[in-house]
Amino acid sequence: MSEDEKKELLASGHRMCAGCGEGTAMRTILNEAGPNSIATVATGCLEVTTTAFPQTAWEIPLIHAAFENAASVAAGIESALKQMDKKGETNILSFAGDGGTFDIGFQALSGMFERKHNVTHICLDNEAYMNTGIQRCSSTPYGASTTTSPKGKYSIGEDRPKKPIARIASAHDIPYAATACIGYINDLKKKVNKALEADGPAFLHVFAPCPTGWRHGSSDTIELAKLAVETGVFVLWEAEDGNICDLNVTYKPKERKPVEEYLKKQRRFAHLTEEHIEKIQKEVDEKCEEYGF
Amino acid sequence: MSKVKITIAGINKKPGSSKEYKTGGWRTMKPEVDVEKCIRCLQCFDYCPDGAIKKTEDAIEFDLDYCKGCGICERECPVEAIVMKVEEK
């Protein structure tokens, strides 16, 4: 089959919002993984929008797990296939949003890494619980206004920094952990392939902007995803065999743009004063120095 | 929407059946492509969240049954071959 005739593995007609970054991410990931895959999905935007009963947008077998256990259900599938002497014949993917990875699903995920199941966990990060109405999460960045960390006279919104989940995952000594972004499709495709080829658990942190929760125009999604990387807010890297001290930054912007460009495009950051922006810029500078650019 | 008997544990045996639901009705802006300008770089195809862009021999075409009119394709097109126009009902 030629490249052009390949079947889309995430069918159209799913109910994601117009301009949803997850749609782009999921299409890319599933088409790259191919039809010989089994997926589990935690509760979240992805599950709600793609499996509105009696329909489904998935073209590959899918199990909807509970919010916390997408990774352990995937581990179960992998163990069952191993018992049936079908080890390594099928890609096993477990999908979760940032809530299902950073907070609620973390225990199951950590267990899956520890038991060294051959599963690729993919976290689609839109930086809050968007499905239930934009509640804060440990992935919400400093200064973002959400419904449970609203901006106000005495509040600047979320007052804690974002959890470095991919580094935590990598610290489990797993064969492959990486961050990717929907603005850089070829980079994302490469990382999906590497994650699937890894012998053992792999983790992929995919950055996907959300027009509804971030309060930006639906056509800005890809631009914001690119800006997050160009400003250094989100760093694209990969680490093999848990080697987080010597990770490989896969994309270094030639000249970093000021974070203000990224922040000003989103209404969740609209209340930030120059002081706050300076503070965020300083933190980003420090982080980028750590990554070596 | 088709009538379906709800099975135990809600098993769905029809992969890709979401195509029955046409999301094109959500649209307020409609994309149009200038085939002459299109260089077939397929960035719009890669970025479209709804899979509503189809490749043709020398350009692309929109599947207006599913296009939600988000405008990502217009924004990302490097040669400005795509324009969004107000949907006429």
Side-chain angles (χ1 to χ4, degrees):
Chain A
M1 206 187 285
S2 79
E3 189 70 19
D4 284 13
E5 291 159 13
K6 257 190 187 171
K7 192 182 176 189
E8 287 279 323
L9 295 179
L10 185 78
S12 301
H14 57 70
R15 273 71 146 180
M16 286 172 198
C17 308
C20 177
E22 269 181 19
T24 309
M26 284 308 298
R27 276 188 58 223
T28 311
I29 295 165
L30 289 184
N31 291 344
E32 211 51 34
N36 187 18
S37 311
I38 298 175
T40 66
V41 59
T43 306
C45 276
L46 180 63
E47 176 254 326
V48 170
T49 52
T50 54
T51 58
F53 200 79
Q55 296 156 354
T56 172
W58 295 72
E59 299 274 10
I60 59 171
L62 167 80
I63 297 181
H64 166 226
F67 211 149
E68 64 278 9
N69 62 355
S72 25
V73 172
I77 296 169
E78 192 255 3
S79 303
L81 287 175
K82 215 192 251 172
Q83 287 300 316
M84 290 158 73
D85 276 341
K86 288 182 178 170
K87 190 186 169 191
E89 285 177 21
T90 310
N91 300 322
I92 299 155
L93 301 158
S94 94
F95 290 97
D98 47 305
T101 305
F102 285 66
D103 297 353
I104 301 173
F106 188 69
Q107 180 253 115
L109 179 65
S110 184
M112 186 273 280
F113 288 155
E114 188 259 320
R115 295 188 300 271
K116 300 270 182 266
H117 290 286
N118 196 357
V119 171
T120 300
H121 184 89
I122 293 161
C123 167
L124 300 159
D125 180 12
N126 51 22
E127 305 198 318
Y129 290 92
M130 299 310 181
N131 167 40
T132 46
I134 323 166
Q135 286 88 6
R136 79 157 286 278
C137 171
S138 53
S139 67
T140 310
Y142 176 82
S145 175
T146 68
T147 51
T148 48
S149 65
K151 59 168 188 198
K153 215 172 172 184
Y154 301 105
S155 159
I156 68 144
E158 173 68 14
D159 58 354
R160 276 161 291 227
K162 187 176 171 125
K163 190 165 158 184
I165 190 73
R167 298 179 71 135
I168 298 171
S170 188
H172 286 77
D173 269 348
I174 56 172
Y176 190 75
T179 62
C181 172
I182 57 161
Y184 300 84
I185 294 276
N186 289 336
D187 181 72
L188 172 60
K189 281 181 184 171
K190 256 184 236 163
K191 284 172 177 167
V192 170
N193 280 321
K194 273 192 178 180
L196 292 172
E197 279 163 19
D199 185 26
F203 180 82
L204 213 54
H205 178 186
V206 182
F207 191 76
C210 166
T212 311
W214 296 14
R215 317 265 190 228
H216 62 77
S218 63
S219 58
D220 296 338
T221 307
I222 302 295
E223 204 181 334
L224 271 171
K226 284 181 180 165
L227 267 176
V229 176
E230 295 287 343
T231 55
V233 171
F234 191 80
V235 181
L236 300 181
W237 57 266
E238 58 183 5
E240 278 164 40
D241 298 318
N243 205 350
I244 34 174
C245 300
D246 187 27
L247 48 84
N248 173 18
V249 178
T250 51
Y251 178 79
K252 282 183 193 173
K254 279 193 191 98
E255 208 170 306
R256 263 194 305 122
K257 290 180 177 162
V259 285
E260 196 173 354
E261 258 182 64
Y262 169 70
L263 300 177
K264 284 286 174 213
K265 277 196 177 292
Q266 307 165 52
R267 213 170 75 220
R268 63 174 180 160
F269 291 121
H271 59 284
L272 295 183
T273 61
E274 268 178 31
E275 244 171 76
H276 297 136
I277 293 174
E278 245 168 62
K279 194 182 165 193
I280 294 173
Q281 179 72 60
K282 214 178 131 211
E283 274 169 20
V284 169
D285 288 346
E286 276 169 20
K287 189 175 78 180
C288 288
E289 212 168 290
E290 217 177 290
Y291 284 102
F293 64 89
Chain B
M1 205 175 285
S2 56
K3 266 191 186 171
V4 180
K5 207 175 135 194
I6 298 179
T7 51
I8 296 168
I11 297 164
N12 190 326
K13 290 179 183 169
K14 285 199 289 179
S17 49
S18 65
K19 283 185 202 133
E20 290 164 18
Y21 184 86
K22 305 267 195 288
T23 49
W26 299 12
R27 192 172 56 237
T28 54
M29 300 291 277
K30 184 175 156 188
E32 271 173 26
V33 62
D34 183 342
V35 184
E36 298 285 293
K37 275 191 192 170
C38 178
I39 53 168
R40 206 175 186 272
C41 65
L42 300 179
Q43 290 206 37
C44 51
F45 174 84
D46 276 346
Y47 288 135
C48 179
D50 297 297
I53 292 175
K54 302 275 170 259
K55 299 170 191 168
T56 61
E57 205 115 293
D58 47 0
I60 51 126
E61 62 180 18
F62 295 100
D63 189 344
L64 293 173
D65 279 348
Y66 302 108
C67 170
K68 291 170 188 159
C70 65
I72 287 179
C73 47
E74 182 201 32
R75 185 67 69 87
E76 296 306 319
C77 181
V79 291
E80 293 176 8
I82 299 170
V83 270
M84 302 297 287
K85 292 194 174 145
V86 175
E87 175 83 27
E88 281 164 33
K89 283 275 144 86

